[in-house]
Amino acid sequence: MWRKLLGTLWRGAPGSVRRWSVWMVNPRFAVTVGGVVRDERGRVLLFNHVFRKGSGWGIPGGFLEKGEQPDDGLKRELREEAGLEIDEAELAFVRTFKRPQQLEIIYRCRVRQPAATSESLEIRASEWFELDALPDGLAPDQHRIIKRALSNG
């Protein structure tokens, strides 16, 4: 009986009340996108990020903007941070974090033109690396992301 009553009340409530209720009781989290980007020689693009801990080296990516599709967000980040265009982005995997509350969507992709130049205040440098010659200080987590993305493809 209670279930039926609650269902009737819920369905009869204005949309704004239902949205507000869902917003209040569900956790909020950031959504980020990252790309394991390769060139025609199979090298991986890494950025030396200004705001990344450790050595700063890691895969390209960033936060999604409101209403933005994840693959479009990756394309925007690559365009903004390195002036690169990619043909397509293939979903590699998705993972979540408790702290920070975050959902991370990882793609694998290839670039149209291999030259990458740092065009952003967020990026110190960008460089293409052979898989067996990744930069010193690259975090183990970044190694795992690259390996996992490429092993799925």
Side-chain angles (χ1 to χ4, degrees), residues 28 32 50 69 113 134 147:
R28 281 158 294 291
T32 60
V50 171
Q69 294 300 314
Q113 83 280 5
L134 296 173
K147 182 178 180 180

Side-chain angles (χ1 to χ4, degrees), residues 30-147:
V31 180
T32 60
V33 63
V36 177
V37 181
R38 299 181 80 187
D39 67 5
E40 73 283 347
R41 293 174 36 195
R43 299 177 301 174
V44 175
L45 176 65
L46 297 177
F47 289 165
N48 191 319
H49 298 264
V50 171
F51 303 114
R52 186 181 296 263
K53 290 182 182 179
S55 72
W57 287 105
I59 65 170
F63 291 93
L64 289 183
E65 294 178 354
K66 186 176 181 178
E68 184 174 47
Q69 294 300 314
D71 58 334
D72 292 335
L74 177 61
K75 290 174 184 178
R76 176 186 48 76
E77 287 287 344
L78 286 166
R79 198 175 308 112
E80 289 175 1
E81 294 178 348
L84 287 175
E85 295 291 335
I86 57 174
D87 288 320
E88 65 180 60
E90 180 184 5
L91 180 65
F93 61 92
V94 178
R95 63 186 188 160
T96 61
F97 301 94
K98 286 185 179 180
R99 296 209 176 179
Q101 289 184 195
Q102 180 179 336
L103 174 82
E104 182 177 56
I105 304 166
I106 302 294
Y107 287 93
R108 68 181 145 264
C109 48
R110 294 202 178 263
V111 293
R112 291 184 193 164
Q113 83 280 5
T117 57
S118 178
E119 297 183 358
S120 169
L121 295 175
E122 299 174 32
I123 306 300
R124 284 189 202 101
S126 58
E127 194 171 327
W128 295 95
F129 292 92
E130 299 290 342
L131 290 174
D132 60 354
L134 296 173
D136 290 335
L138 183 66
D141 183 57
Q142 294 294 298
H143 278 280
R144 285 190 298 272
I145 289 172
I146 294 166
K147 182 178 180 180

